[in-house]
Amino acid sequence: MNTQPSAPLKKGSPGNGTEHLLVIRLSAMGDVAMTVPVLMTLLRQYPGLELTVLSREFFRPVFDGIPRLNFYAADVRGRHKGIRGLYRLYRELKKTGIGAVADLHHVLRSNMLRIFFRMSGFPVVQIDKGRKEKKALTRSRNKVLKPLKTTHQRYADVFGKLGYSIDMEHPVFRPKEPLGETVITATGLDAEKTEQGKLIGIAPFAAFGGKRYPPDLMEKVIAGLDRDGYNILLFGGGEEEIRVLGLLEGRYRNVTSVAGKLSFREELQLISNLDVMVAMDSGNAHLAAMYGVKTITLWGVTHPYAGFYPIGQPKANALLSDREKYPLIPTSVYGKTVPEGYEEVMQTIDPESVSRKIRELV
């Protein structure tokens, strides 16, 4: 593996023999989490490289503790709001000594930053999101059903174009984190329980209804696991999710909802100690996968072919809705588009198949 850039960077070198890249990934949760194994793999394969990640302050814990990775918070609702704010942000970032820019977001804000940096002579490469191929995959007529390039590889391609090709065959994951006192108090877990190999996380919600497993079916899964003595931790956020998960917690002996009880940083500590995470096609799946946790994903109107499958997970860990019954799947990349008659696609995923897969992995 060649660990030297194919072309020298021309601007902003720190001047100490270390190349320094700016990485832009402002949001969203799943996409931010997907960058982590790529960046860690990049840093391992290029020991002379330094990164500054530009994202929102909320996501700082995702990147904390990674050697040679600095975090820079974008205050897009305050100091860095609007064109003037983005220009202020650009000027601040220039002072960090970066040599080139990897835009893993490719939205309006990052496009403005791209213009500012390019006007100053910085090399800038933006992600190719593959919008044309994704449209062909999700349209109802003349659908082209084939696996697209993964998002992780799309990220890696950006660095390749900057001269840092990455071999993603063996990605680097974040290590398990120690449980803080707040986590132990909220969950009743300790080191002994986490070593028993029966710690299962379940994140039953998703941003859109088209990829959310029916609550009654998920409760069947939870009830069976509870009878078998597994420790089950429920993840979610928002008032309604906290309420629903609280009711589930009250009905089962071995079920604990952590929704609304932990900070994001503390949730990451807990996720890193799971034996298995069960999630929808959602951010929680990618948060678990970035720690190398065994992750089971349930798919509704979305599909792994769009390139958002959690990194490092066997394809057998994806439980899909029935395409024979619902041939238009995938109907969208993010689950926003639910055609008439497709509201119950996830009912074709048998709860017993979910339970069986969990037991298999544990």
Side-chain angles (χ1 to χ4, degrees):
M1 174 74 195
N2 176 26
T3 56
Q4 296 298 321
S6 58
L9 303 180
K10 297 179 180 180
K11 293 285 290 186
S13 173
N16 59 3
T18 300
E19 298 291 359
H20 189 174
L21 304 182
L22 172 67
V23 180
I24 301 174
R25 181 64 259 185
L26 296 172
S27 60
M29 179 77 75
D31 298 282
V32 170
M34 281 190 284
T35 66
V36 172
V38 178
L39 299 185
M40 293 185 70
T41 305
L42 173 69
L43 288 166
R44 175 170 290 184
Q45 293 178 11
Y46 292 91
L49 186 63
E50 181 180 355
L51 302 178
T52 290
V53 172
L54 176 68
S55 193
R56 303 193 186 204
E57 179 62 33
F58 178 82
F59 295 118
R60 184 185 294 271
V62 173
F63 301 99
D64 272 357
I66 300 176
R68 291 180 286 120
L69 188 151
N70 314 300
F71 185 88
Y72 203 98
D75 182 12
V76 297
R77 295 183 179 177
R79 178 177 176 80
H80 303 135
K81 183 178 180 180
I83 295 177
R84 288 186 179 182
L86 289 172
Y87 185 71
R88 181 182 294 116
L89 176 59
Y90 149 74
R91 294 188 66 179
E92 293 170 7
L93 291 167
K94 277 181 64 177
K95 297 176 183 177
T96 64
I98 61 169
V101 180
D103 179 8
L104 306 186
H105 202 177
H106 202 337
V107 293
L108 181 59
R109 288 191 178 99
S110 64
N111 287 342
M112 289 302 304
L113 289 172
R114 176 200 64 186
I115 292 171
F116 295 146
F117 279 110
R118 280 189 174 165
M119 287 176 64
S120 295
F122 284 82
V124 180
V125 176
Q126 289 185 304
I127 185 173
D128 175 6
K129 292 186 174 181
R131 290 187 174 98
K132 185 177 180 180
E133 305 100 281
K134 289 174 181 175
K135 185 176 181 179
L137 176 68
T138 56
R139 65 194 179 201
S140 57
R141 294 184 178 181
N142 301 316
K143 183 186 292 290
V144 181
L145 188 69
K146 67 176 183 179
L148 304 184
K149 183 181 292 187
T150 68
T151 301
H152 304 96
Q153 188 57 52
R154 291 184 189 276
Y155 291 158
D157 289 348
V158 172
F159 296 107
K161 290 176 182 178
L162 285 171
Y164 295 89
S165 59
I166 315 173
D167 180 3
M168 291 302 299
E169 187 69 24
H170 301 288
V172 180
F173 301 106
R174 290 208 61 141
K176 180 186 294 189
E177 300 184 22
L179 296 178
E181 288 300 321
T182 303
V183 179
I184 293 172
T185 300
T187 62
L189 296 174
D190 53 27
E192 182 179 349
K193 283 188 178 181
T194 58
E195 292 298 324
Q196 291 176 355
K198 291 187 177 182
L199 195 58
I200 300 167
I202 297 180
F205 300 104
F208 301 105
K211 53 182 185 178
R212 191 178 303 149
Y213 199 50
D216 59 322
L217 300 187
M218 183 58 79
E219 185 164 1
K220 289 183 179 181
V221 175
I222 291 170
L225 296 172
D226 179 75
R227 285 194 300 270
D228 291 346
Y230 292 97
N231 290 306
I232 305 158
L233 299 163
L234 304 179
F235 294 83
E239 290 185 10
E240 181 60 17
E241 293 183 13
I242 292 172
R243 185 189 70 82
V244 171
L245 296 183
L247 292 174
L248 280 173
E249 177 184 40
R251 288 199 285 267
Y252 298 98
R253 179 180 180 182
N254 299 306
V255 175
T256 301
S257 169
V258 298
K261 300 177 183 178
L262 303 175
S263 68
F264 181 46
R265 186 183 300 275
E266 290 162 346
E267 282 197 357
L268 291 179
Q269 294 173 11
L270 188 54
I271 288 171
S272 76
N273 282 272
L274 296 175
D275 294 291
V276 175
M277 170 63 95
V278 182
M280 310 302 104
D281 168 22
S282 67
N284 280 293
H286 298 293
L287 291 173
M290 78 177 185
Y291 286 103
V293 172
K294 297 173 184 176
T295 303
I296 298 168
T297 44
L298 311 184
W299 300 74
V301 298
T302 59
H303 197 280
Y305 279 7
F308 292 98
Y309 193 70
I311 192 168
Q313 301 297 318
K315 295 298 185 286
N317 288 2
L319 304 181
L320 311 181
S321 297
D322 188 349
R323 282 201 76 254
E324 289 190 8
K325 187 174 182 180
Y326 297 101
L328 296 184
I329 295 175
T331 65
S332 68
V333 173
Y334 299 110
K336 295 180 182 179
T337 304
V338 181
E340 184 177 355
Y342 277 60
E343 296 83 3
E344 298 180 349
V345 294
M346 294 194 83
Q347 292 197 13
T348 61
I349 301 176
D350 182 14
E352 183 53 40
S353 69
V354 180
S355 301
R356 187 165 54 249
K357 176 57 68 172
I358 293 170
R359 291 183 175 89
E360 173 189 322
L361 295 186
V362 174

